[in-house]
Amino acid sequence: MSTLVVVGSQWGDEGKGKITDYMAQKADVVVRSQGGNNAGHTIMIDGEKFALRSIPSGIFNPKIKNVMANGMVIDPKQMLEELAGLEARGITNYQLFVSNRAHVVLPYHRELDGAYEAFKGDKKIGTTKKGIGPCYADKINRIGIRIADLIQPEIFKEALHQTLTLKNMELQMLGLEPLQFDPIYDEYVEYGKKIKPFVCDTSLLLEEEIEKGSKVLFEGAQGVMLCVDHGTYPYVTSSSPTGVSVPVNTGIAPRYIDNILGICKAYNTRVGEGPFPTEINGDVATYIRERGHEYGTVTKRPRRVGWLDCVALNYARRISGINYLSLMLFDVLTGLEKIKICYAYELDGKLINTIPATLAEYERCKPVYLEMDGWMEDITNVTSFDELPENAKAYIKKIEELTKTEIVIFSIGPDRKQTIQLKDFFK
Ligand code: IMP
């Protein structure tokens, strides 16, 4: 048995796509377990840039089985467009399996996402407006429509009738026009036909694969701090992007999880609203944003930038079961004279080492920093830890010390080749 979960250990956008793609070279199966097309995984292959949204990162390798598991919310229109886009760029030979239990994002989810944001005004979450929250809300409210329903026209018709009646009431309550049944039904039934060949019980498939010794990679979306249970609620996504949620989101036993690799940037970023204690503005923030191309893959919004927050990272490690770390965009920090790391917060005059539950308290947290000397040497071509400048080595060692977790990968540029791996997960 050989499984690895890759999770974002900050607020998303840590570079999970790159590591998943890198790990996928040796994996037999790659699984997306939660979220939907709110995610945007950028992958560089031989200098070519691919931005994946809901399709797993193993799609480029014809030998890899790619699974979209039950914990996902799938927008069929977007998913088919994404596949068509890949096919147009020559990715035609792939294996894709879609869970019959995953939930379907429908047009009213997208409408409601926008309407709730507008209703919240300056308290808006800053969602991606892809309908993710409203779709998960329907799942929990037991009025969701699943992939298994979508691919059976009669069942879909009945389910859509019932749900649309309710959703139209909700839309009207929020001042929007009700949606017509026929156009949605006609459009989505066609999507159902196209998706049907990919649909199966992915839980069964995964157990079979794990039992026969396949190397399985679970690809996280978003980040632990966006977890609906443990993140900075309500400024979170609507699923649990943690390592420990993988069994529920994929239908496998917890004992099948071998390792949970936390992906973190060498600094912090955040898109959307919500507290961000180590956020910085000014020249250093601009330097990091430009060097790290810190603009949203999905929304193109400039990302908020800050120093590395080891309180949040430690919290993510604990909540998510992370046992190794991968440090991303390390080269972005090159050229800074001084680099800060947050190792505690000060809350109302007391030092704390964890994330408070309420936003009001979290907003009052002030970061406590230690300052380290930076390095000026270009590190984008190093091939080992030993080749790093001393100050860069010291930065890695300090993060390991503060998080009590070994950094087993560091990334020094966008290309696959610029990934230094110190531990092999898939032998
Ligand atoms: P939603 O997932 O679209 O509902 O958005 C909720 C929050 O999660 C917003 O702050 C989004 O910016 C954030 N978010 C959702 N997906 C991602 C992601 O893949 N990377 C970073 N932030 C994300």
Side-chain angles (χ1 to χ4, degrees):
M1 164 174 135
S2 183
T3 64
L4 174 68
V5 179
V6 168
V7 288
S9 56
Q10 295 162 321
W11 277 283
D13 309 315
E14 299 92 348
K16 293 178 293 293
K18 180 182 172 184
I19 291 301
T20 312
D21 167 62
Y22 185 78
M23 294 292 177
Q25 302 311 304
K26 288 187 182 168
D28 303 304
V29 185
V30 178
V31 188
R32 262 289 300 270
S33 57
Q34 44 69 231
N37 64 328
N38 48 348
H41 290 171
T42 309
I43 294 175
M44 296 290 292
I45 300 174
D46 298 329
E48 234 193 300
K49 191 169 168 180
F50 291 88
L52 294 176
R53 303 276 293 280
S54 54
I55 305 286
S57 300
I59 201 74
F60 304 101
N61 185 335
K63 294 199 194 101
I64 296 177
K65 293 192 166 89
N66 289 277
V67 174
M68 298 170 76
N70 57 283
M72 285 191 77
V73 286
I74 299 172
D75 181 331
K77 181 177 186 323
Q78 183 281 326
M79 176 198 151
L80 290 167
E81 278 169 10
E82 191 174 339
L83 271 184
L86 287 169
E87 284 174 10
R89 292 175 71 183
I91 317 297
T92 48
N93 190 7
Y94 55 78
Q95 298 186 63
L96 185 63
F97 303 86
V98 177
S99 168
N100 45 12
R101 290 176 173 83
H103 279 248
V104 181
V105 178
L106 285 144
Y108 47 79
H109 292 130
R110 286 190 297 270
E111 295 263 330
L112 285 168
D113 202 348
Y116 277 113
E117 285 287 87
F119 174 77
K120 287 177 185 151
D122 61 4
K123 297 251 183 318
K124 71 176 195 301
I125 309 289
T127 74
T128 58
K129 300 213 175 112
K130 302 292 176 198
I132 305 298
C135 184
Y136 275 117
D138 282 0
K139 169 178 172 173
I140 301 303
N141 204 14
R142 295 154 297 184
I143 53 167
I145 294 177
R146 304 196 293 177
I147 293 287
D149 307 322
L150 179 74
I151 61 172
Q152 300 183 69
E154 284 313 309
I155 292 179
F156 177 49
K157 189 182 261 177
E158 204 183 315
L160 185 65
H161 256 304
Q162 193 198 37
T163 307
L164 191 60
T165 310
L166 255 174
K167 294 288 128 181
N168 275 340
M169 287 189 236
E170 208 175 331
L171 284 170
Q172 282 168 298
M173 191 180 76
L174 288 158
L176 295 178
E177 291 295 313
L179 300 177
Q180 299 302 315
F181 176 88
D182 287 340
I184 301 182
Y185 178 77
D186 294 345
E187 186 182 345
Y188 280 74
V189 123
E190 289 306 312
Y191 296 148
K193 283 184 198 155
K194 289 190 180 139
I195 289 176
K196 197 172 179 178
F198 303 119
V199 178
C200 67
D201 185 334
T202 52
S203 156
L204 265 179
L205 178 144
L206 285 173
E207 181 167 84
E208 276 167 24
E209 290 291 332
I210 295 171
E211 282 293 334
K212 78 176 191 212
S214 298
K215 300 177 185 94
V216 183
L217 183 64
F218 296 92
E219 171 184 18
Q222 291 86 43
V224 176
M225 298 305 290
L226 290 169
C227 172
V228 68
D229 279 274
H230 300 289
T232 46
Y233 191 88
Y235 296 105
V236 292
T237 191
S238 297
S239 62
S240 176
T242 62
V244 291
S245 71
V246 165
V248 172
N249 284 329
T250 60
I252 61 154
R255 70 173 184 281
Y256 286 140
I257 307 288
D258 284 337
N259 286 297
I260 302 178
L261 176 68
I263 313 297
C264 67
K265 277 180 183 162
Y267 47 93
N268 265 91
T269 58
R270 179 164 199 178
V271 280
E273 313 303 316
F276 181 6
T278 63
E279 183 168 17
I280 49 171
N281 291 298
D283 291 349
V284 174
T286 308
Y287 183 83
I288 294 176
R289 184 177 299 113
E290 295 310 315
R291 283 179 61 87
H293 309 291
E294 295 296 356
Y295 294 88
T297 325
V298 178
T299 58
K300 313 283 178 237
R301 291 177 281 183
R303 294 182 186 139
R304 300 158 66 194
V305 172
W307 296 118
L308 183 66
D309 184 341
C310 277
V311 179
L313 194 52
N314 246 323
Y315 181 83
R317 173 192 58 74
R318 180 162 61 85
I319 293 311
S320 192
I322 289 167
N323 59 342
Y324 292 102
L325 283 172
S326 172
L327 191 70
M328 311 303 292
L329 293 125
F330 193 28
D331 55 302
V332 170
L333 298 184
T334 302
L336 291 173
E337 268 177 33
K338 297 283 178 193
I339 301 173
K340 292 184 184 178
I341 305 182
C342 166
Y343 66 94
Y345 298 147
E346 192 201 305
L347 174 62
D348 303 335
K350 283 198 187 119
L351 280 193
I352 61 165
N353 283 298
T354 188
I355 310 266
T358 67
L359 276 186
E361 286 171 299
Y362 202 24
E363 267 155 9
R364 292 204 303 281
C365 282
K366 294 191 186 68
V368 184
Y369 290 118
L370 58 84
E371 195 173 70
M372 302 191 69
D373 290 329
W375 59 92
M376 300 298 141
E377 301 90 331
D378 176 19
I379 59 170
T380 54
N381 292 314
V382 303
T383 54
S384 68
F385 180 83
D386 291 339
E387 285 173 42
L388 285 172
E390 286 310 312
N391 290 348
K393 282 185 198 161
Y395 188 69
I396 288 191
K397 289 286 160 204
K398 184 51 81 180
I399 300 168
E400 290 187 329
E401 180 193 319
L402 291 171
T403 57
K404 298 181 196 74
T405 309
E406 207 181 325
I407 293 176
V408 292
I409 298 174
F410 62 92
S411 167
I412 41 156
D415 211 86
R416 264 183 197 170
K417 294 190 284 282
Q418 293 169 301
T419 314
I420 312 301
Q421 189 176 0
L422 311 172
K423 177 181 166 61
D424 209 355
F425 290 99
F426 293 137
K427 297 234 168 52

